Amino acid sequence: MRAAAPPLVRAAVATALSPGRRAVVGIVTGTLLVAGVILSAGSGQLPIGPAEVVGSLLRAVGVPNGWAPTVALVEQTLWQIRFPRVVMSVLVGALLAVAGAIMQAIFANPLAEPGVVGVSSGAAVGAALAITLGLSTFGGWTTAALAFLGGLAATLNVYATARSQGRTEAVTLILTGIAVNAFTGAALAVMMFLGNTASREQIVFWQLGSMNGSRWPEVALVALIGLFATAIALSLARPLDLLALGDRTAAHLGVRVERLRVVSIVLVALLTGGAVAFIGIIAFVGLVVPHVMRMLLGPSNRALLPASLLGGAVVLVYADLLARTVIPSADLPIGILTSLVGGPFFYALLRRNRRRSGGWA
């Protein structure tokens, strides 16, 4: 009896990639991103027209034009508040989506996401530790720094615990991640119990995620981490494609499976930790976006990784725009919106996979 092919391989057979589909998806996604950036930068308590947003950007790159705003308040609002927030949305969405695509590739499972290996929960514990104990080791960046270190430490701990006799099984890694997530959940509860009312509120709001208060130095740091990790991830696209054929087949084709898995998990920790460090936890982007792009483009990581990058940026730009405008004079935590959309999508995804495989048992 022939063994069932992995889900991603079945998807490769099921998804016929038409010659122009990549170009169409790229153009549509890019157009949505540009429109979202302009719309988001112009929306807020001080409405700014699209022409002024474009004019300000053109003037910033040395192109004189008559669209640029002439009022100093408009220019300050754009460059000190709106643009840092919009760029942070683009970066965070892109990094989370790429991290999700990598996770789904190394586990050969479209239901995998960065939270499986404890990145988000570890980051939450690091942030809660800084908030509850009032630490200031890294100045104003202490909470973000400890969140990043917490996410990285949790991921490396999951990997080290799951590794045995020189190899790591995906199932063992997932089960270890569940155990670490349970432990970090308890640690987070202890931190909230020990903290005062203000600390508890701060921890809760950090977990809900928000782009509010993003500043250029933070954006620059996230961009630096993301550029480094994404460049490495794109270079691993072909080995990740071969990994979808199974560990043994990939090894026969020249892939050093264990090293690829280690590098991929470290990349996921860097991408996710860098994304959530300053803005808190954003759920489901790493799960939903790569899966949608896979349905559109097929499972090849050479197309999927850059498409997920663009798709994640689009999703979070519009989610942040919605968070700022859905309730007048209020800033809804963006994590609530992504969970409201991602939860039903995940449920539908589970039902779809169950129906295709004929049941879980």
Side-chain angles (χ1 to χ4, degrees):
M1 179 181 295
R2 295 180 59 187
L8 293 184
V9 176
R10 293 202 302 270
V13 176
T15 307
L17 187 62
S18 61
R21 183 176 292 183
R22 291 183 185 180
V24 171
V25 172
I27 291 171
V28 171
T29 311
T31 303
L32 286 173
L33 180 59
V34 172
V37 167
I38 295 174
L39 190 61
S40 184
S43 301
Q45 292 185 354
L46 176 63
I48 301 174
E52 287 183 296
V53 174
V54 175
S56 182
L57 287 171
L58 290 175
R59 184 166 62 187
V61 296
V63 180
N65 63 90
W67 296 343
T70 55
V71 180
L73 177 62
V74 173
E75 192 76 353
Q76 291 172 1
T77 301
L78 283 175
W79 287 97
Q80 294 180 12
I81 300 174
R82 303 276 177 83
F83 284 150
R85 179 168 185 155
V86 172
V87 176
M88 183 66 94
S89 302
V90 170
L91 289 172
V92 170
L95 301 194
L96 289 176
V98 171
I102 295 173
M103 285 292 295
Q104 292 170 13
I106 61 174
F107 285 118
N109 191 327
L111 301 181
E113 59 118 8
V116 168
V117 290
V119 185
S120 299
S121 56
V125 171
L129 191 68
I131 294 169
T132 302
L133 301 182
L135 301 178
S136 58
T137 309
F138 301 101
W141 287 12
T142 300
T143 300
L146 289 189
F148 178 78
L149 293 175
L152 190 62
T155 306
L156 295 179
N157 183 42
V158 167
Y159 181 77
T161 307
R163 186 179 171 84
S164 176
Q165 299 180 348
R167 60 193 296 268
T168 308
E169 294 179 346
V171 174
T172 308
L173 199 67
I174 291 175
L175 293 176
T176 308
I178 292 173
V180 169
N181 275 323
F183 176 78
T184 51
L188 185 62
V190 170
M191 291 295 168
M192 295 179 69
F193 178 77
L194 294 177
N196 54 31
T197 303
S199 297
R200 281 194 288 271
E201 289 181 356
Q202 194 175 349
I203 292 171
V204 169
F205 275 100
W206 188 90
Q207 290 185 85
L208 293 175
S210 175
M211 300 294 170
N212 190 24
S214 297
R215 296 291 178 264
W216 285 119
E218 301 166 358
V219 172
L221 184 59
V222 174
L224 189 63
I225 295 173
L227 187 64
F228 171 74
T230 302
I232 297 177
L234 293 175
S235 72
L236 297 177
R238 186 176 180 277
L240 289 173
D241 285 342
L242 296 177
L243 193 62
L245 301 173
D247 288 7
R248 182 173 299 179
T249 305
H252 287 163
L253 293 172
V255 177
R256 298 178 66 177
V257 174
E258 197 58 29
R259 190 178 70 171
L260 175 62
R261 195 159 273 141
V262 173
V263 172
S264 298
I265 290 175
V266 171
L267 284 178
V268 169
L270 281 175
L271 289 164
T272 310
V276 306
F278 290 104
I279 52 90
I281 296 174
I282 307 292
F284 287 108
V285 174
L287 171 66
V288 173
V289 174
H291 193 75
V292 171
M293 289 301 168
R294 187 176 296 105
M295 288 191 293
L296 294 173
L297 296 174
S300 171
N301 286 285
R302 279 171 285 188
L304 181 62
L305 288 173
S308 297
L309 185 146
L310 273 177
V314 170
V315 167
L316 222 52
V317 163
Y318 283 98
D320 183 54
L321 174 62
L322 195 61
R324 289 191 286 122
T325 56
V326 69
I327 300 177
S329 304
D331 199 334
L332 192 66
I334 195 171
I336 294 177
L337 287 176
T338 57
S339 296
L340 281 174
V341 176
F345 184 87
F346 186 63
Y347 175 76
L349 188 60
L350 286 173
R351 297 279 299 176
R352 178 172 174 268
N353 279 301
R354 183 180 186 277
R355 186 171 58 252
R356 282 189 168 186
S357 61
W360 300 118

